[in-house]
Amino acid sequence: MKNILLTIEYDGTDFHGWQRQPGKRTVQGEIEKTLSKLLRQDITITATSRTDSGVHALGQRANVKGNFGIPTERIPLAANNMLAGDVRIKSAEEVELDFHARFDAVGKKYIYLIRNASYDLMQRNFCYHIEKELDFQSMKEAVKYLVGAHDFKSFMAAGGKVPESTVRTIYSANLTVEPINEGRKIIFEVRGNGFLYNMVRIIVGTLVDIGLGKIPSSDMKDIIESCNRSRAGHTAPPQGLYLSEIYFDHVELQRSLRGDE
Amino acid sequence: MKNILLTIEYDGTDFHGWQRQPGKRTVQGEIEKTLSKLLRQDITITATSRTDSGVHALGQRANVKGNFGIPTERIPLAANNMLAGDVRIKSAEEVELDFHARFDAVGKKYIYLIRNASYDLMQRNFCYHIEKELDFQSMKEAVKYLVGAHDFKSFMAAGGKVPESTVRTIYSANLTVEPINEGRKIIFEVRGNGFLYNMVRIIVGTLVDIGLGKIPSSDMKDIIESCNRSRAGHTAPPQGLYLSEIYFDHVELQRSLRGDE
């Protein structure tokens, strides 16, 4: 018996999200179908995060248990030859039998891309287009309030499974800017021990509303404390969101946090 | 009677090229279907270039003649509301009745993007991935030989309609490099009075073969003079190619050429 941890990259555009659903093309469904053929048995995989339709992943993780004839290191290439171009297994490694991709995660990193420039059709599935100029400094001010352990109920969408607690710890939250043709790209990077349903997208929507002058940046503190979804901003669209990295131990997480400095 | 010149942008990924084909989703087909509904008559449009499957356009041009009830400036927005997200009419302007988008073009500009870096799944439909390091200086050397009037038969694929003459004039050909994460992007920009079937893709394939050391850069001159397709390199894939601009008069073309300096 082996337990194999996969690192998976996908372009979420043409998927109905991660989770297997009858009659719909999902990332879990495509990978399970492919691995079932490759490994000649019914395969079920367990991912760290269930991403929504249109959301991308650079480093989704999932584990799969079973007795497989094929050497672990051969799985990525063999599976990728059978998978469509919009999903790819980047690596496969053997882990302890009791390892669980969801329960053993201590942190995750998401990236959200905002294109603050004229509309670019080629980028439509990969960022949030904001043509009006955003006040980057105000947005950056507001980001500071996010770090730490807070009740993030104001940033939770209805529709997900309601969790026992809505307290989450944000380890880092950074906003950076890069010049591009006729404008700039604003990149939000956030690491936390977990995220509520649509939390990153509602944070980004709130930051955009701050950047547009609809909400003062100093309100961010009150919005968090209010625990009231209606105080926060809109939900930014899924196509700007990337599940970037998953951390399974604190050493790995600390190393990643230091990389920011 | 009006003659309207459209500027059209599209992501070629999910189209079977420009040209209308029964039972296939093509750019011409989608635009004609949309304009026929909008303008309540059977519409046929004439484009400057018939791009292949997977090739993108930033500034394709096409003209459409008829008696239309809707003001010309309202056509783009109205049509874009009916079109899918991967094709967009950027502008519409009235032109002389005898204007013809193909016969009146005096030049075109193409851009070809090479990603000389590790594979990026999100970019798979928008560039040519070359993971091995390319010798940029050798490629740049070779590009010089392209400019001017030459018989480009060595760079013509079989399969297109064979033209009366295979002589074309290249007005400008430039190769530039931009750093990106863990590598660089190489951008080829070329303007000419016309291009043979697959000419830009075969030129780029030859440049890549030069960059990989398979062909010496000084061979470019001989390859052109040989008028022999088998002397040139491979055909670069369609997804890196963008039809960028069309010029309908020499003033416009000269202005564009000066913009490079």
Side-chain angles (χ1 to χ4, degrees):
Chain A
M1 176 78 122
K2 283 179 198 167
N3 190 8
I4 297 175
L5 175 61
L6 307 172
T7 304
I8 301 161
E9 182 180 36
Y10 47 89
D11 168 353
T13 307
D14 293 332
F15 290 106
H16 289 266
W18 171 267
Q19 198 172 12
R20 192 192 324 116
Q21 290 178 66
K24 289 192 172 163
R25 184 172 187 263
T26 69
V27 186
Q28 184 184 12
E30 292 299 297
I31 293 178
E32 287 182 348
K33 198 168 67 182
T34 297
L35 291 182
S36 297
K37 261 187 232 166
L38 182 68
L39 305 172
R40 296 158 195 242
Q41 57 196 278
D42 276 349
I43 293 292
T44 302
I45 60 177
T46 307
T48 308
S49 281
R50 274 167 280 178
T51 54
D52 278 338
S53 288
V55 174
H56 314 293
L58 303 168
Q60 169 73 289
R61 309 296 279 274
N63 71 303
V64 51
K65 276 184 188 180
N67 293 301
F68 311 129
I70 171 172
T72 301
E73 68 275 15
R74 296 250 288 272
I75 291 176
L77 188 60
N80 293 342
N81 282 335
M82 299 162 74
L83 287 165
D86 55 355
V87 52
R88 188 168 79 101
I89 299 177
K90 291 170 89 170
S91 66
E93 53 179 312
E94 285 170 40
V95 288
E96 298 292 315
L97 273 184
D98 63 352
F99 176 89
H100 189 286
R102 182 140 54 100
F103 303 143
D104 288 348
V106 298
K108 297 175 200 179
K109 176 183 172 185
Y110 280 97
I111 296 175
Y112 196 100
L113 292 188
I114 299 169
R115 186 182 151 86
N116 192 202
S118 59
Y119 182 75
D120 179 350
L121 179 142
M122 310 293 165
Q123 295 292 318
R124 72 198 180 286
N125 297 319
F126 301 104
C127 65
Y128 185 10
H129 275 96
I130 304 279
E131 299 204 39
K132 285 189 193 160
E133 198 176 329
L134 293 168
D135 179 348
F136 179 72
Q137 281 313 318
S138 295
M139 294 167 75
K140 215 170 156 62
E141 279 294 305
V143 162
K144 292 188 304 194
Y145 299 106
L146 297 168
V147 179
H150 301 284
D151 187 332
F152 282 102
K153 205 173 171 183
S154 296
F155 301 92
M156 181 175 72
K161 199 181 132 197
V162 177
E164 275 179 50
S165 162
T166 48
V167 174
R168 294 292 180 276
T169 301
I170 299 295
Y171 301 124
S172 72
N174 292 299
L175 207 62
T176 52
V177 65
E178 272 179 28
I180 50 171
N181 288 347
E182 302 159 50
R184 55 197 182 155
K185 201 160 74 173
I186 294 175
I187 304 149
F188 178 62
E189 294 189 296
V190 62
R191 293 186 186 82
N193 67 347
F195 295 87
L196 304 170
Y197 188 54
N198 279 358
M199 179 167 148
V200 181
R201 290 169 53 191
I202 300 171
I203 288 174
V204 171
T206 307
L207 292 175
V208 166
D209 286 342
I210 289 168
L212 291 171
K214 294 182 186 175
I215 299 176
S217 62
S218 54
D219 277 16
M220 187 58 118
K221 191 165 179 285
D222 291 344
I223 294 171
I224 297 172
E225 285 170 4
S226 72
C227 289
N228 180 351
R229 170 68 186 91
S230 72
R231 289 289 309 277
H234 69 283
T235 305
Q239 61 266 24
L241 186 60
Y242 298 75
L243 174 59
S244 168
E245 286 181 40
I246 314 280
Y247 311 105
F248 293 108
D249 66 63
H250 287 279
V251 174
E252 210 183 350
L253 172 63
Q254 290 306 320
R255 195 184 305 130
S256 167
L257 285 166
R258 278 197 306 272
D260 269 10
E261 287 152 18
Chain B
M1 177 75 124
K2 282 180 198 166
N3 190 8
I4 297 176
L5 175 62
L6 307 171
T7 304
I8 302 162
E9 182 180 35
Y10 48 88
D11 168 352
T13 307
D14 292 331
F15 290 106
H16 289 267
W18 170 268
Q19 199 172 12
R20 191 191 326 115
Q21 291 179 66
K24 290 193 171 162
R25 184 172 187 263
T26 69
V27 186
Q28 184 184 12
E30 292 300 297
I31 293 178
E32 287 182 348
K33 198 168 67 183
T34 297
L35 291 181
S36 297
K37 263 187 230 166
L38 182 69
L39 305 171
R40 296 157 194 242
Q41 57 196 277
D42 277 349
I43 294 292
T44 303
I45 61 176
T46 307
T48 308
S49 280
R50 275 167 279 178
T51 54
D52 278 339
S53 287
V55 174
H56 314 294
L58 304 168
Q60 169 72 288
R61 308 297 279 274
N63 70 304
V64 51
K65 277 184 186 178
N67 293 301
F68 313 129
I70 170 172
T72 300
E73 66 277 13
R74 295 250 288 272
I75 292 176
L77 189 61
N80 293 342
N81 282 335
M82 300 163 73
L83 286 165
D86 55 355
V87 53
R88 188 168 78 102
I89 298 177
K90 292 170 87 170
S91 66
E93 55 180 309
E94 284 170 41
V95 288
E96 299 291 315
L97 274 184
D98 62 352
F99 176 90
H100 189 286
R102 182 140 53 101
F103 303 142
D104 288 348
V106 299
K108 299 175 198 177
K109 176 183 172 183
Y110 281 96
I111 296 174
Y112 196 100
L113 292 188
I114 299 168
R115 187 181 150 86
N116 193 202
S118 60
Y119 182 75
D120 178 350
L121 179 143
M122 310 294 165
Q123 295 292 319
R124 72 197 180 286
N125 298 319
F126 301 104
C127 65
Y128 185 11
H129 276 94
I130 304 279
E131 300 204 37
K132 285 190 193 159
E133 198 176 329
L134 293 168
D135 178 348
F136 179 71
Q137 281 313 321
S138 294
M139 293 167 76
K140 213 169 158 62
E141 279 294 306
V143 161
K144 294 188 304 193
Y145 299 106
L146 297 167
V147 178
H150 300 286
D151 186 332
F152 282 102
K153 203 172 173 185
S154 296
F155 302 92
M156 181 176 73
K161 198 182 132 199
V162 177
E164 274 178 50
S165 162
T166 47
V167 173
R168 294 292 180 275
T169 301
I170 298 295
Y171 300 124
S172 72
N174 292 299
L175 207 62
T176 52
V177 65
E178 271 180 28
I180 49 171
N181 287 346
E182 302 161 49
R184 55 196 182 157
K185 201 159 74 172
I186 294 176
I187 304 149
F188 178 61
E189 294 189 295
V190 62
R191 292 184 187 84
N193 67 347
F195 295 87
L196 304 170
Y197 188 53
N198 278 359
M199 180 168 148
V200 181
R201 291 168 54 193
I202 300 171
I203 288 174
V204 171
T206 306
L207 292 174
V208 166
D209 286 342
I210 289 167
L212 291 171
K214 293 181 187 176
I215 299 177
S217 62
S218 55
D219 277 16
M220 188 57 119
K221 192 165 179 283
D222 291 343
I223 294 170
I224 298 172
E225 285 171 4
S226 74
C227 289
N228 180 352
R229 170 68 188 90
S230 70
R231 289 289 308 279
H234 68 285
T235 305
Q239 61 265 26
L241 186 60
Y242 298 75
L243 173 59
S244 170
E245 287 180 38
I246 314 281
Y247 311 104
F248 292 109
D249 65 63
H250 286 280
V251 175
E252 208 184 350
L253 172 62
Q254 290 306 321
R255 195 184 303 130
S256 167
L257 285 166
R258 277 196 307 270
D260 269 11
E261 286 151 19

